[in-house]
Amino acid sequence: MRKIFLLAGCLSILSVFCTTLFAQGNVKVGHTNSNYIIGLMPETKKAQGELETMKKQLEKVLQEKSKTFEEKVERYQTSAASMSQTLRETTEAELQKLRTELQELQGKSESSFMEKQQALFKPIAEKVNKAIKEVGKEEGYLYVLNGDTGNVGNPVLLYSGSENSDITNLVLKKLGVTPPAKQ
């Protein structure tokens, strides 16, 4: 039921949008694919390289900590039977503390990686958005839609009857990136 109301809401918004477009007369609407543009930018390759380096460093630290933990668990398991109750409880508490530290380190590593990723890609996305706005203004578009928004089978642009409305190559040229040959 909720999906029906959501669909009805989307259709009503779309109908208002279309009515507005037709009421204004000759309206120029363009579309592009910002993720595609970002993927072709040299800054993206550099950012991906930095992220890959960081990922390897974080994985190395995690593997070392994990290996140390596993070795201590193994030693405990082989000698637990011969340990006194007090020593066994102390060792178990130490192992639990190490497990918690390892989990916290893993969480911090993931968080650091995501922060770095956002820090590297935010300026790239801003640069692309600025170029899209400039091309839209220069070419006289009233609206420019993004064909890759949603990424889960739910793009903003559902259909384009004209290749003339695709401004992706114009944006790439504005950014100084040579568009690849059409395939």
Side-chain angles (χ1 to χ4, degrees):
M1 189 65 154
R2 194 172 178 189
K3 290 181 183 178
I4 292 172
F5 287 124
L6 183 61
L7 180 61
C10 289
L11 289 175
S12 67
I13 291 170
L14 184 60
S15 112
V16 169
F17 178 73
C18 290
T19 304
T20 304
L21 287 178
F22 290 123
Q24 291 179 355
N26 190 13
V27 175
K28 197 169 175 183
V29 178
H31 65 92
T32 189
N33 184 325
S34 60
N35 282 341
Y36 173 75
I37 294 168
I38 289 171
L40 291 175
M41 295 185 62
E43 296 98 316
T44 300
K45 290 174 186 22
K46 181 182 178 211
Q48 288 171 333
E50 285 184 43
L51 286 174
E52 190 60 34
T53 300
M54 181 181 189
K55 181 180 175 184
K56 287 178 182 176
Q57 291 170 345
L58 293 172
E59 285 175 349
K60 182 180 178 187
V61 170
L62 282 170
Q63 286 173 349
E64 289 171 0
K65 285 273 191 188
S66 182
K67 183 179 177 186
T68 302
F69 173 73
E70 289 170 12
E71 288 170 352
K72 288 185 179 192
V73 168
E74 247 179 67
R75 279 195 302 260
Y76 168 75
Q77 289 172 342
T78 53
S79 61
S82 63
M83 288 181 176
S84 68
Q85 181 70 22
T86 309
L87 182 56
R88 189 178 15 241
E89 288 173 0
T90 305
T91 306
E92 288 172 359
E94 180 187 332
L95 290 173
Q96 183 58 40
K97 182 181 174 195
L98 287 172
R99 175 181 283 130
T100 302
E101 288 173 1
L102 184 61
Q103 290 170 340
E104 288 174 358
L105 179 62
Q106 189 170 13
K108 287 178 183 177
S109 294
E110 289 172 6
S111 179
S112 294
F113 183 82
M114 290 177 68
E115 288 172 10
K116 180 74 169 180
Q117 186 177 34
Q118 289 175 345
L120 290 171
F121 281 96
K122 184 179 180 188
I124 297 170
E126 288 172 349
K127 184 176 180 180
V128 169
N129 288 335
K130 181 180 177 201
I132 290 170
K133 288 176 185 174
E134 289 174 0
V135 168
K137 191 173 188 177
E138 290 167 4
E139 299 294 322
Y141 287 95
L142 185 59
Y143 299 101
V144 176
L145 304 175
N146 192 5
D148 63 2
T149 301
N151 294 333
V152 189
N154 190 21
V156 169
L157 179 65
L158 300 175
Y159 172 75
S160 173
S162 171
E163 286 187 28
N164 295 335
S165 63
D166 187 350
I167 66 166
T168 301
N169 286 342
L170 294 172
V171 174
L172 285 168
K173 289 176 185 171
K174 176 70 124 181
L175 291 165
V177 177
T178 304
K182 288 199 177 202
Q183 299 175 6

